[in-house]
Amino acid sequence: MSFLVDSLLMVFSLVLFFGGGWVFFLKQLYRDYEVHHSIVLLVFSTTFALSCIMFELIIFEILGVMESSSRFFHWKLGLYAILFVLIAVLPYYIAYYLIQNIRIVPQKRHIRVFIAAGAWCLTLYLFWRVGDPFPILSPKHGIFSIEQCIGRVGVIGVTLMAILSGFGAVNCPYTYMSYFIRHVTEADIQSIEKRLLQTLDRIIAKKKKIALSERDRLRQASLSTPSKGIWGLLKSAATSVSATTPSLGPLKQETGALEELSRQLFLETADLHDAMDRIEYSKTFKGRYFNVMGHFFSLYCVYKIFMATINIIFDRVGKVDPVTKGIEIAVKYFGFELDIKFWSQQISFLLVGVIIVTSIRGFLITLTRFFYAIASSKSSNVIVLCLAQIMGMYFVSCVLLMRMNMPQEYRLIITEVLGDLQFNFYHRWFDVIFLVSALSSIGFLYIAHNQSAEKTLHR
């Protein structure tokens, strides 16, 4: 295909991915919020489209779609575009909308622009300092080289990837396996609901008593003969308050304690209903399927933790992609007659495709949950821009690490595009953060699970 046809294909893909990001933004992230600023929607969709374009170029690289020179050009163009968005556009707008939510800052446009520009300069300085402690660059790289930007984005993105991967590797089997489901019965739910209703009745009775006492106080104040002058009015009011407040103080404290207890009982009731729903779901065909997948992912989690530990201890980084290595083992030890180059290309395409789809899907699901957990009508613009920043760095790092899952001949253009980076460092850094994240998640879930078990025993 000619360069023009290749460019039209990339433009069509960019428009398609842009529309996907636009629909996801409106249907998922802003489903319960009003879109106040179209620039937020535009920047988010652009970041999503540029991220997906990089994954598409990886698939095109394996399939041999487009001419080599065209792929290289669009690799460079897409990479420069997403770096510009991540380093220049997103930090500036995050600062701009963050300042807009601060009441003490004068809300004149030129003042906001000036302060946002200053905040962007500070962010750029901190971003530049991120790379200093890490051995990510060679001394020959200039200050304005692409390696300077990719190296720093890679450190942040790989850290985020490792944290999410470590938590996901532990949380996935914990969520899917029926072994970890909290065992509750209908009697448990009825008992906690009965306690909740009794507590609410006590709260209503005490609030009614407080209301009656305050009504009697006001009635006595109105019936008593007021003294003449302002001083007499103040004296009578102070006398009535001092006479009634001590009797109502303990009653109000008891009411506050009961309200706190009712909140805890309500949350406990919701947890029990969720556990009961999980028990019912685990009995379905889909629930049994996910239970089997949970056992598989638990083995995968143990394997990943073990391999990460081995890689850290022995400072080991794989030189051959897993597909080619697996085919070589099959040919050598099992005597299969296979065309290693052909099958490594086909299976690598499937593996990379699965990694791309699962990475995008998993990250968008996490993105949606996180947004709903912390967003509000005022902060939603800032939060969605921050999530777009995380998304862009996450996907750039995916490309950086995915290079190791590709055969040697397909790594060349990615290596050439990304620059002369210390790729081995990123894989070791991923293993370190993954191990810390996974072990921390195990500890956190262990404590949470034990607390749920103790609540069940104490009922």
Side-chain angles (χ1 to χ4, degrees):
M1 291 188 291
S2 65
F3 178 79
L4 178 60
V5 176
D6 294 342
S7 300
L8 291 176
L9 175 62
M10 295 307 299
V11 170
F12 174 77
S13 300
L14 186 65
V15 172
L16 186 65
F17 292 137
F18 183 87
W22 190 286
V23 172
F24 173 77
F25 184 95
L26 293 179
K27 299 297 183 181
Q28 294 295 326
L29 293 185
Y30 266 90
R31 187 175 56 192
D32 300 324
Y33 301 95
E34 181 184 357
V35 181
H36 297 290
H37 302 283
S38 58
I39 190 66
V40 176
L41 174 57
L42 181 63
V43 172
F44 179 87
S45 302
T46 301
T47 306
F48 180 81
L50 292 174
S51 301
C52 292
I53 281 292
M54 291 189 298
F55 289 128
E56 184 184 52
L57 285 170
I58 291 177
I59 296 177
F60 284 178
E61 190 68 30
I62 297 176
L63 295 179
V65 179
M66 301 196 310
E67 296 180 357
S68 178
S69 58
S70 297
R71 289 198 304 268
F72 181 77
F73 172 80
H74 289 101
W75 261 115
K76 282 288 188 182
L77 182 61
L79 196 59
Y80 277 112
I82 195 168
L83 288 177
F84 176 75
V85 171
L86 292 176
I87 298 173
V89 178
L90 279 169
Y92 173 79
Y93 279 109
I94 290 172
Y96 182 84
Y97 288 114
L98 186 62
I99 292 168
Q100 194 176 35
N101 293 331
I102 301 176
R103 295 181 179 274
I104 61 175
V105 177
Q107 294 303 311
K108 294 182 179 180
R109 183 177 178 82
H110 67 279
I111 295 178
R112 292 204 305 266
V113 169
F114 179 77
I115 297 177
W120 176 79
C121 293
L122 177 61
T123 303
L124 185 62
Y125 172 76
L126 295 176
F127 171 77
W128 198 262
R129 298 290 295 180
V130 164
D132 292 347
F134 301 100
I136 56 178
L137 301 174
S138 299
K140 63 182 180 180
H141 295 146
I143 190 172
F144 296 110
S145 62
I146 192 173
E147 289 86 356
Q148 297 284 357
C149 299
I150 289 290
R152 288 161 173 81
V153 170
V155 168
I156 301 173
V158 168
T159 304
L160 293 172
M161 278 188 64
I163 292 173
L164 293 175
S165 299
F167 176 75
V170 175
N171 186 63
C172 186
Y174 179 78
T175 303
Y176 290 159
M177 291 176 64
S178 58
Y179 175 80
F180 296 106
I181 295 178
R182 184 178 176 183
H183 297 287
V184 297
T185 61
E186 290 291 343
D188 296 329
I189 296 178
Q190 291 175 2
S191 175
I192 199 74
E193 287 180 344
K194 184 178 180 181
R195 289 181 59 192
L196 177 60
L197 291 175
Q198 291 174 348
T199 304
L200 292 176
D201 290 338
R202 293 176 63 188
I203 292 172
I204 293 172
K206 289 185 180 295
K207 286 191 172 183
K208 183 178 179 181
K209 189 174 181 179
I210 292 173
L212 291 174
S213 299
E214 291 181 347
R215 186 193 66 179
D216 292 340
R217 178 180 63 82
L218 293 175
R219 181 180 296 173
Q220 291 174 3
S222 62
L223 293 177
S224 61
T225 303
S227 302
K228 295 182 179 180
I230 297 177
W231 176 252
L233 291 174
L234 294 176
K235 184 178 180 181
S236 61
T239 304
S240 62
V241 170
S242 62
T244 55
T245 301
S247 60
L248 294 181
L251 194 60
K252 290 182 177 180
Q253 291 180 358
E254 292 177 7
T255 305
L258 288 174
E259 288 177 340
E260 180 62 28
L261 176 61
S262 68
R263 283 190 287 268
Q264 295 177 3
L265 291 174
F266 177 79
L267 294 175
E268 180 66 15
T269 304
D271 291 339
L272 291 179
H273 278 287
D274 290 340
M276 181 60 70
D277 292 339
R278 286 189 63 187
I279 292 173
E280 296 298 326
Y281 178 76
S282 66
K283 297 177 181 178
T284 63
F285 175 78
K286 191 175 181 180
R288 292 189 178 95
Y289 166 76
F290 278 112
N291 183 42
V292 174
M293 293 302 296
H295 285 81
F296 169 77
F297 281 118
S298 64
L299 295 176
Y300 173 77
C301 176
V302 173
Y303 169 78
K304 285 288 293 180
I305 292 175
F306 175 76
M307 293 305 299
T309 305
I310 295 297
N311 293 339
I312 293 169
I313 293 175
F314 295 100
D315 194 17
R316 192 186 68 169
V317 177
K319 300 298 182 182
V320 181
D321 66 286
V323 174
T324 303
K325 187 175 182 179
I327 295 175
E328 289 177 351
I329 292 174
V331 170
K332 183 177 180 180
Y333 292 99
F334 298 100
F336 296 150
E337 295 183 0
L338 296 174
D339 186 346
I340 296 178
K341 183 176 180 180
F342 172 79
W343 284 107
S344 64
Q345 179 182 7
Q346 304 303 319
I347 299 176
S348 293
F349 167 70
L350 294 176
L351 177 64
V352 170
V354 169
I355 292 174
I356 289 172
V357 172
T358 54
S359 296
I360 294 175
R361 179 181 178 274
F363 186 81
L364 291 180
I365 291 174
T366 305
L367 193 84
T368 305
R369 292 176 179 174
F370 185 76
F371 180 79
Y372 282 135
I374 66 174
S376 65
S377 58
K378 292 183 178 180
S379 64
S380 54
N381 289 321
V382 175
I383 292 173
V384 79
L385 288 173
C386 291
L387 295 179
Q389 180 86 27
I390 294 173
M391 177 178 65
M393 291 186 171
Y394 179 91
F395 288 149
V396 169
S397 302
C398 277
V399 173
L400 195 153
L401 294 179
M402 200 181 298
R403 170 185 170 275
M404 191 60 69
N405 294 316
M406 302 172 64
Q408 191 66 36
E409 60 268 23
Y410 302 129
R411 300 182 191 177
L412 297 178
I413 191 169
I414 296 180
T415 304
E416 187 176 358
V417 169
L418 295 179
D420 185 18
L421 299 176
Q422 302 295 328
F423 291 100
N424 291 344
F425 161 76
Y426 292 102
H427 290 278
R428 289 195 298 270
W429 182 248
F430 179 88
D431 289 334
V432 171
I433 302 300
F434 174 86
L435 184 61
V436 173
S437 176
L439 295 178
S440 301
S441 300
I442 290 174
F444 173 78
L445 292 177
Y446 176 78
I447 295 173
H449 185 75
N450 284 345
Q451 288 180 347
S452 298
E454 290 177 0
K455 289 180 180 179
T456 303
L457 293 174
H458 290 335
R459 279 198 308 270

